[in-house]
Amino acid sequence: MYLSNLIGRIVEKQYNTYKVQTETGVEKAHLKGKIFQTIKNKSEFPCVGDWVELNECDGTLQITRVLERRTQISRQTAGNVTEEQVIAANIDYVAIVLGLDGGRNYSDRLLERLTTVAWNSGATPLVILNKADLNDEAEYVKFQAETIAPGVDIIVTSVEDGTGINALTNYLSKGKVAVFIGPSGVGKSTLTNALLKKDVQKTNEIRRKDKRGRHTTSTSFMFELESGAYIIDSPGLREVQAWAEEQNLDDTFSEIAELSQYCRFSDCKHEGEPGCAIQAELERGYISPERYDSYLHLKKELAFLNRRKAEKNNNVERQYDKQFSKMVKREMSKKLELKKY
Ligand SMILES: Nc1nc2c(ncn2[C@@H]2O[C@H](COP(=O)(O)OP(=O)(O)OP(=O)(O)O)[C@@H](O)[C@H]2O)c(=O)[nH]1
Ligand SMILES: [Zn+2]
């Protein structure tokens, strides 16, 4: 039997093996060889959350096409290559989880960085300040975080005593997809388990498998909650390296973006130019020096990333140029040879 143009959604990815949710259930699927001819870079490979077209041939499913993504969260490929790797697609919320238990589990700078990555995804960023039971000043940290991530909803939670779990559940209605990002140990898996309720056992099994092979596994999952919402858990999202555009900084640092229209020069870099509105507000104390430094730092980091991206594109173009000139030479020499006769 041969069926074509079935539609499914990828719910699990391990290297190049996929599991796809179709109308009839979850099934294994492979990439159709032909798809490699149309894929130009790593970011176009199907990932968890992608809607795909499938062919069924003798009981095996083949992924033939990835449908256009509404949103996507990416990171930089590990190592020195500047390449975008999409980790999850068609997500509605990027939930940035931070811990209120002190140490490295919360910092304004980390929040700025992760908010920038979240804005770049096209999904709605959401901040979860977890472990409220371990901090008497949770509401104060929330207040502070609101100034660091303007325009982003912030939920204070504790899996320990149940604080905020209902508030979080309100976002996760039928069909919505959320991914948790944040440093290790802030409670991402614990939160997932709390949201899953009935299916705790199942997650634990999966988590154990995941934990055992943390360094070797690359399995990403999409879990369905009772409400019909989904949560994506991916090792790739645990150590998210910034992959964003400079313009995403305007969302993260919206007050700086707004103020910069009052700078004397329209291309003001806010680094000591005369008539700089940012500098003026910095002196008045409206913008903190730490936030200003963080802004410049992230801006430089993203500019660097963009330069490397551009260089890479140039290299690709140069390669095409080389191939083209080789082809021209070949054609020319053919013509010359023809002339000889
Ligand atoms: N007191 C308290 N402890 C919590 C809370 N949430 C999680 N924990 C504990 O924090 C520890 C780390 O939680 P995990 O869920 O493994 O953290 P994670 O973010 O998934 O960490 P990685 O899997 O390494 O990325 C565990 O011992 C949890 O029991 C909370 O709200 N309150
Ligand atoms: Zn300026």
Side-chain angles (χ1 to χ4, degrees):
M1 190 170 70
Y2 187 89
L3 290 169
S4 64
N5 292 343
L6 300 168
I7 298 285
R9 189 168 206 187
I10 295 175
V11 291
E12 191 179 319
K13 177 183 179 191
Q14 186 171 23
Y15 301 106
N16 282 330
T17 314
Y18 295 89
K19 281 193 185 157
V20 182
Q21 169 89 54
T22 63
E23 266 181 27
T24 49
V26 176
E27 290 171 70
K28 256 196 183 164
H30 300 281
L31 290 183
K32 191 174 162 71
K34 242 185 164 176
I35 207 172
F36 291 98
Q37 291 166 13
T38 56
I39 283 176
K40 288 186 285 300
N41 58 56
K42 222 173 178 170
S43 67
E44 292 172 20
F45 275 99
C47 66
V48 170
D50 262 328
W51 290 98
V52 291
E53 265 177 21
L54 305 145
N55 281 347
E56 190 182 332
C57 189
D58 295 329
T60 5
L61 282 181
Q62 286 183 320
I63 299 171
T64 52
R65 195 165 79 91
V66 179
L67 304 189
E68 202 184 323
R69 293 172 180 147
R70 197 164 40 82
T71 62
Q72 58 183 48
I73 182 158
S74 317
R75 66 169 201 154
Q76 227 200 103
T77 311
N80 285 330
V81 239
T82 310
E83 200 168 20
E84 179 181 11
Q85 187 181 6
V86 179
I87 291 167
N90 303 312
I91 42 178
D92 298 283
Y93 295 108
V94 174
I96 299 160
V97 187
L98 297 169
L100 289 166
D101 51 340
R104 294 172 60 199
N105 287 347
Y106 176 92
S107 84
D108 291 348
R109 308 292 80 87
L110 182 61
L111 178 55
E112 278 157 353
R113 175 177 292 268
L114 294 177
T115 310
T116 307
V117 174
W119 280 121
N120 182 56
S121 71
T124 307
L126 196 63
V127 174
I128 299 173
L129 300 177
N130 189 38
K131 304 197 191 184
D133 58 289
L134 298 178
N135 192 327
D136 294 336
E137 293 177 345
E139 284 303 317
Y140 173 73
V141 181
K142 181 187 174 190
F143 176 72
Q144 184 191 346
E146 274 164 358
T147 66
I148 299 298
V152 179
D153 287 358
I154 300 178
I155 310 168
V156 171
T157 64
S158 163
V159 187
E160 191 67 26
D161 64 21
T163 305
I165 302 299
N166 278 341
L168 177 57
T169 309
N170 285 341
Y171 287 89
L172 304 171
S173 54
K174 192 174 166 61
K176 296 277 185 230
V177 183
V179 293
F180 290 147
I181 64 171
S184 181
V186 291
K188 297 183 296 293
S189 340
T190 314
L191 273 168
T192 306
N193 282 338
L195 293 167
L196 274 164
K197 287 186 236 165
K198 277 188 183 165
D199 283 329
V200 176
Q201 198 54 37
K202 202 166 104 196
T203 0
N204 280 345
E205 261 168 40
I206 289 162
R207 293 293 314 166
R208 245 181 280 133
K209 251 198 271 166
D210 184 17
K211 280 238 162 77
R212 204 177 336 133
R214 176 59 54 86
H215 299 291
T216 48
T217 187
S218 67
T219 314
S220 303
F221 296 96
M222 192 156 133
F223 302 103
E224 191 174 1
L225 302 183
E226 246 182 341
S227 64
Y230 294 91
I231 289 180
I232 291 177
D233 188 14
S234 162
L237 284 171
R238 289 167 187 274
E239 341 86 44
V240 150
Q241 251 189 303
W243 182 279
E245 305 289 338
E246 272 180 87
Q247 77 218 33
N248 296 126
L249 285 181
D250 291 350
D251 295 316
T252 309
F253 298 91
S254 58
E255 83 282 23
I256 293 184
E258 236 161 74
L259 275 169
S260 65
Q261 57 182 317
Y262 301 105
C263 291
R264 188 178 303 161
F265 304 111
S266 61
D267 62 346
C268 185
K269 296 208 163 27
H270 324 307
E271 287 184 284
E273 291 93 333
C276 172
I278 310 302
Q279 212 77 36
E281 292 304 323
L282 192 62
E283 274 154 33
R284 276 182 37 188
Y286 174 68
I287 296 170
S288 80
E290 293 80 17
R291 186 160 167 87
Y292 170 75
D293 285 345
S294 174
Y295 170 78
L296 288 187
H297 183 92
L298 276 172
K299 199 165 133 162
K300 281 182 186 149
E301 203 175 300
L302 292 178
F304 173 72
L305 192 65
N306 283 336
R307 266 201 311 278
R308 290 220 325 216
K309 270 195 252 175
E311 271 168 27
K312 199 184 147 217
N313 285 343
N314 278 342
N315 284 342
V316 172
E317 270 166 27
R318 240 176 276 146
Q319 224 175 339
Y320 281 132
D321 281 351
K322 267 189 199 159
Q323 280 169 359
F324 183 69
S325 71
K326 261 189 199 162
M327 190 187 80
V328 172
K329 270 185 199 153
R330 217 168 35 231
E331 292 304 310
M332 289 293 280
S333 64
K334 268 190 209 161
K335 275 188 187 150
L336 287 174
E337 268 169 33
L338 278 178
K339 265 192 182 166
K340 273 195 231 160
Y341 294 98

